[in-house]
Amino acid sequence: MRFLHTSDWHVGKVLKGHSRLDEQRAVLREIVQVARDHRVDAVLVAGDLYESSAPSADAQQLVVQVLLALRRTGAEVIAIAGNHDHAATFDAYRPLMASTGITLAGGVRDAADGGVVEFTARSTGEPVVVALLPFVSQRHAVRAAQLVTLTPGQAAAGYGLLVRDLLAALTAGFRDDAVNLVTAHLMAARGKLGGGERSAQSVVEYWVPEDAFPPDAYYVALGHLHRRQSLPAPCPVHYCGSPIALDFGEQDNPSVVLVVEAEVGASARITAEVPIRSGRRLRTVRGAVDELARHAGEFGDDYLRVLLCEPARAGLQQDVRRLFPNALEVRIDPAFAAPVDPVNTARPSTPAGVERGPAELLHEYCVTRELIDERVEALFARLHDQATTGNA
Ligand SMILES: [Mn+2]
């Protein structure tokens, strides 16, 4: 049988004030096309369908339409909640989605109560068993472990051990005559960060050791890390990564979805890493404005992060944004930024008894920040004059 593995759509993500919804619509349309072209038996969406736990109506409409479109390809569609998704809302819509043949999993469930999904692959008639592990927060790990494994005594064990117990319980019913799969949203040990994950939820207590993955799983389809990667484990464990670069830290990640073939009694293999191209590229450019100006027009509609190799001056931002309308972030390269350590920003020593006026203070401040521009001081003088003489 054949399935498609995708995750971390983050629908509704806004980058520096720019909505990505149109791009995401195109990206998801591409994914539906991949499912159709490869005639997959199933689509596994391994969490973080949304960027936010309270997604906009537009974001929800897009996700619902895409799940239905995936289902219309004839594939089984299974989606689990990631840490960005609102698990309880997923569970609220679970019965409605189930009526269309889509499995939506919000919270962790016992195997007998929806934690494991079984179906027959339409292409080969093979039985398929999928164990579902939506994201478990550390706070909820203990409760979920009690619910599923009934071992309250293990509350003191670490997060990784609790998740291992959950996976063991969910995969206990794996069958010899079936293709046995796992999909989960978690931080695996040794996973490399893609740059856009919430760091607070990728801290060290949250990782899951590689021996948590059952040796008899044909394939473990993970979500959470945005970089496509495979991990050493007793069975094939893969992150497919996000199909769109979500932040400048992810600009070099390949955006793909994975097509996987598995057969009862044989090992699963990734037969295609299909590039997803609809997301606009994120690109970091570095240089002085004059230098960069010579390359204006070379960057297409890429979203840009501009690191300027020159000291700050008034109007610099505007100059850059005029040159590069797609610049979402304009910063002075740290090597050219004014020092900000207390020694340099401390007030210059003043002879006792000498009071300095606001204009002098501003001038001194500008000197410490290496912001030398007489227009700024002139503007300040005019505004200060207006403010103090009541002419504003
Ligand atoms: Mn994510």
Side-chain angles (χ1 to χ4, degrees), residues 120 196 266 273 344 347 381:
T120 303
E273 301 200 15
N344 288 300
R347 290 169 59 131

Side-chain angles (χ1 to χ4, degrees), residues 253-264:
N253 291 353
S255 301
V256 298
V257 294
L258 304 178
V259 177
V260 185
E261 276 190 19
E263 187 187 332
V264 176

Side-chain angles (χ1 to χ4, degrees), residues 136-153:
V136 192
S137 70
Q138 201 160 20
R139 197 155 51 86
H140 290 122
V142 173
R143 203 149 49 93
Q146 287 173 356
L147 189 72
V148 175
T149 67
L150 306 172
T151 52

Side-chain angles (χ1 to χ4, degrees), residues 115-176:
V116 173
V117 173
E118 300 199 11
F119 62 91
T120 303
R122 60 172 172 159
S123 65
T124 60
E126 288 166 295
V128 181
V129 177
V130 190
L132 313 182
L133 185 64
F135 180 74
V136 192
S137 70
Q138 201 160 20
R139 197 155 51 86
H140 290 122
V142 173
R143 203 149 49 93
Q146 287 173 356
L147 189 72
V148 175
T149 67
L150 306 172
T151 52
Q154 301 191 1
Y159 176 84
L161 296 180
L162 289 168
V163 172
R164 183 166 66 187
D165 283 355
L166 286 171
L167 282 170
L170 290 169
T171 59
F174 273 179
R175 292 159 44 181
D176 291 341

Side-chain angles (χ1 to χ4, degrees), residues 361-373:
L361 289 168
L362 177 79
H363 176 74
E364 283 173 11
Y365 173 76
C366 289
V367 169
T368 65
R369 302 304 308 239
E370 294 176 20
L371 185 95
I372 319 289
D373 191 323

